Amino acid sequence: MRPIKIENLLSEDELFFLYDHVLKSNGWIMSGKSENLTNQTNKNFSNCPQLIVKCNQGNIYNSALYLYGQSLIFRLKKLLEDKKIGLYPKLNRMWFNISYNGANNHWLHNDGSENSQTILLFLTPVWKTGWRGSFYVDGKEFTFEPGSAIVFDSKEFHTGEEPISATYNWLRLTCNIVIDKQ
């Protein structure tokens, strides 16, 4: 599967609601450890806030956000059927990441194997192109556009881009969802 961008997956109202409620959620950690990396790297820790909803081991830490994530998978699956693109049905892992200028939490990595797909959601409701914050999959740039999603094979190498300092207090909020066949 080639990486695909789905624009306007989330409405403006949904983005503002999500941004507010996710940032106010309990359970944010500052040094999230990446789990079960398939590639060898010494960059296993995130230096930025991370809210784990469901981890690779199957533990669900926020049931409401887990249900929301699974419903997004069903929504995306229906949208992609029209384009003849298959999407796996099972939410394996879901977490939110915040990045900001100077955070230094982006590095080249992959999320899984041949049997998984990754969905990255751009959740900051206000974002200007000049603030950077793009996302790269196998060298292809996807600019940060509020309400958009990128879907790609989890085995593909990817990384995010640190935003510039002048984002006027908007944090770069993304959600990483890894889905499996079953």
Side-chain angles (χ1 to χ4, degrees):
M1 158 194 257
R2 289 190 344 227
I4 183 170
K5 184 174 190 176
I6 292 85
E7 296 177 348
N8 302 313
L9 176 65
L10 306 174
S11 71
E12 187 176 314
D13 288 340
E14 192 173 4
L15 280 173
F16 277 102
F17 177 84
L18 256 177
Y19 186 83
D20 181 55
H21 282 77
V22 167
L23 290 183
K24 289 178 182 174
S25 293
N26 294 325
W28 285 93
I29 58 176
M30 277 302 291
S31 59
K33 183 180 185 311
S34 299
E35 301 170 326
N36 301 332
L37 292 176
T38 57
N39 57 312
Q40 295 297 318
T41 179
N42 63 352
K43 303 205 180 231
N44 291 332
F45 292 94
S46 171
N47 298 323
C48 291
Q50 184 179 64
L51 178 65
I52 299 173
V53 174
K54 183 179 181 190
C55 70
N56 288 342
Q57 286 75 32
N59 298 325
I60 297 172
Y61 298 102
N62 187 311
S63 294
L65 289 173
Y66 166 75
L67 291 171
Y68 178 75
Q70 185 64 61
S71 70
L72 281 176
I73 293 166
F74 296 138
R75 188 187 317 179
L76 266 171
K77 189 172 167 54
K78 183 70 175 156
L79 284 171
L80 293 176
E81 278 177 6
D82 297 338
K83 299 178 186 221
K84 307 279 190 253
I85 297 171
L87 195 66
Y88 298 151
K90 181 184 173 203
L91 193 154
N92 180 43
R93 180 185 90 192
M94 178 179 178
W95 56 45
F96 292 89
N97 292 299
I98 291 176
S99 58
Y100 45 84
N101 184 259
N104 193 24
N105 69 322
H106 297 287
W107 59 86
L108 193 62
H109 67 282
N110 62 18
D111 290 338
S113 68
E114 302 276 335
N115 299 318
S116 60
Q117 297 166 320
T118 298
I119 302 165
L120 185 82
L121 302 167
F122 295 133
L123 299 176
T124 307
V126 175
W127 199 261
K128 306 288 182 196
T129 306
W131 295 352
R132 296 184 0 177
S134 289
F135 182 71
Y136 298 85
V137 180
D138 201 22
K140 182 176 180 184
E141 180 180 13
F142 296 92
T143 57
F144 191 107
E145 292 179 27
S148 295
I150 311 300
V151 180
F152 57 97
D153 286 327
S154 298
K155 67 180 180 181
E156 298 297 329
F157 282 87
H158 57 277
T159 187
E161 178 182 50
E162 182 181 313
I164 65 167
S165 62
T167 59
Y168 304 98
N169 296 325
W170 289 100
L171 299 168
R172 181 185 182 273
L173 179 65
T174 57
C175 181
N176 178 278
I177 299 174
V178 175
I179 53 179
D180 292 334
K181 287 184 178 178
Q182 284 300 338

